[in-house]
Structures are given as structure tokens and as C-alpha cells.
Amino acid sequence: MNVRRKSRVHPMTSLVVWLGVSLVACVLALAHVVGKLPSDALLDSSHLEGMKAGYSMCMGYQEEQEAQETKPAQPVLLGVQL
């Protein structure tokens, strides 16, 4: 008695295939993004430019504060500056 059994597809097969394809797509997308990252030299130069700009702004602010501190105070009489 040679009875042929029907071959069935397991119900979880489509889910496993979908997860596998999604995983491969995510890995490829991640590889693409990592490949487009700027080089270390570009990151270092932009960091140093930002540090230079921040330093100059800070020094400018300190100079303004020192200039205001050296000005003589104006006398105030009843809320009106003379």
C-alpha cells in the first residue's frame, strides 16, 4: 500500500520567510547608512571649527561683561537716570 501523503506547508513558514527578508533588508539598510558616514577627518575638522566658534563667542561675551563692569555707574534718582 503505497499511499501518498499530501505535503502541506507549515503555517509558520510565511512568518519565518517574512522575518528573514525583513532582517536582510535591515542589515542592508544599516550597511548603506554606515557606508555613507563622514570620515574621521571631516568630523574632527567640524568639531574643531565649532570649538573655535564657541571660544570666540565666549571671549566676546567676557569682554562685553568686563567693559560693562569698568563703566562708572550712573546715578539714579527716583528711578530716573541722570
Side-chain angles (χ1 to χ4, degrees):
M1 304 217 71
N2 200 1
V3 178
R4 289 188 82 181
R5 296 175 58 183
K6 288 184 177 179
S7 64
R8 291 190 197 179
V9 177
H10 194 277
M12 299 285 281
T13 303
S14 59
L15 177 65
V16 170
V17 169
W18 182 82
L19 287 173
V21 169
S22 298
L23 180 65
V24 168
C26 288
V27 167
L28 290 175
L30 182 63
H32 178 71
V33 168
V34 168
K36 290 215 172 229
L37 288 176
S39 66
D40 287 340
L42 180 61
L43 288 175
D44 288 343
S45 67
S46 61
H47 173 73
L48 291 176
E49 288 174 17
M51 291 292 288
K52 187 188 303 182
Y55 180 76
S56 66
M57 288 189 302
C58 184
M59 291 307 293
Y61 178 75
Q62 286 179 349
E63 290 172 1
E64 288 178 14
Q65 292 298 319
E66 290 170 359
Q68 288 178 357
E69 290 173 359
T70 58
K71 286 183 183 177
Q74 296 288 329
V76 177
L77 183 61
L78 299 174
V80 178
Q81 280 189 339
L82 297 177

